[in-house]
Amino acid sequence: MTRMGFIGLGNMGGPMAANLAKAGHAVQVFDLVPESLARAIEAGCIAAGDAREAVSGCEVVISMLPAGEHVRGLWLGESAGERGGQDLLAALPAGTLVIDCSTIDVASARRVGEAAKSRGIRFIDAPVSGGVAGATAGTLTFIVGGEQADFEVARSVLACMGQNLFHAGALGAGQIAKMCNNMLLAIHMAGTAEALALGVKEGLDPIVLSTIMGKSSGNNWSLERYNPWPGVMENTPASRGYEGGFMTRLMVKDLGLAMALAEHAHSAVPMGALARNLFNLHASQGQENKDFSSILELYRDKTEPG
Ligand code: NAD
């Protein structure tokens, strides 16, 4: 059993912390939202009154926050909204392992990682793929940036929450790989929604069309595992009013990160840029807190039944 701190218990962090507790670890948790904290306690975690208390006495500390500003606010003490920063690195003894699983900009990941290293603290950026279903089932993919030795130390902890553990390269490399992945995810989700909306408008049943494309060359993760059409699959956000899952505003954030990366690399990303515009448009229509598969509603004929 290892004593661990876990900060950020939202759609992803909540089930991830629960899986660490299920594996027998003592998991001290904190979130700004009391309801999220309460759910984690029900799942066997130990409540902390604030982030500092959550990391106290821990060998391993994990954060799962929305964006770079939150991660810098927590670990470096840079102002993070009205609550101000925490400068939590200063509270950790040398040798602690910090794992940041948030999807954030490369520069923030590197800054926090280098600040940790200067204090003798191990740090890896370890964004994830697999969605809330993967977080709940403990089958996430971890995409890690940092030193090989730190990755090896983290391996047994990550294995409690995920199935596929990849070391992408040096500090920040996990974030780069994650941005490439999410840009592709946005493109195939938008494409899947477009194809389904076209077929349904021409009289096909969305379940029949999904089954056909799922066994044909159009198959992809959005179609097969995260189908955007309500009722095609059980347990997808689409089948529960696009609640839970991966919020459109977080996808917009990730596409912004991918565009910044493309600019830095002088790399052409026409499909990614179009996907960013589509998800931005969708978010601006009051959909920013719905799951990103609700992009279907941009394409869907509002006059059709069901
Ligand atoms: P979320 O908004 O549901 O959860 C974030 C949590 O962080 C919230 O509960 C919030 O209260 C908490 N928080 C923010 N600042 C805090 C602070 N200073 N101290 C304590 N708690 C704080 O978001 P999510 O869907 O869980 O996503 C988290 C990260 O994972 C994001 O970077 C996202 O891009 C990434 N991600 C999400 C998914 C998904 O399917 N939801 C999949 C892969 C990666």
Side-chain angles (χ1 to χ4, degrees), residues 230-249:
V232 169
M233 289 176 69
E234 282 177 26
N235 298 325
T236 53
S239 295
R240 49 171 191 266
Y242 300 106
E243 292 301 324
F246 183 41
M247 284 179 269
T248 299
R249 67 180 157 83

Side-chain angles (χ1 to χ4, degrees), residues 192-210 213 227 229-230 232 296 299-301 304-306:
T192 298
E194 192 169 310
L196 286 171
L198 172 64
V200 169
K201 206 163 176 190
E202 281 297 303
L204 294 192
D205 180 315
I207 297 178
V208 172
L209 179 56
S210 293
M213 294 196 293
N227 198 294
W229 202 281
V232 169
L296 177 82
Y299 295 96
R300 200 169 168 179
D301 188 338
E304 90 215 4

Side-chain angles (χ1 to χ4, degrees), residues 41-53:
I41 307 314
E42 257 171 53
C45 300
I46 303 158
D50 57 25
R52 209 162 272 264
E53 191 182 321

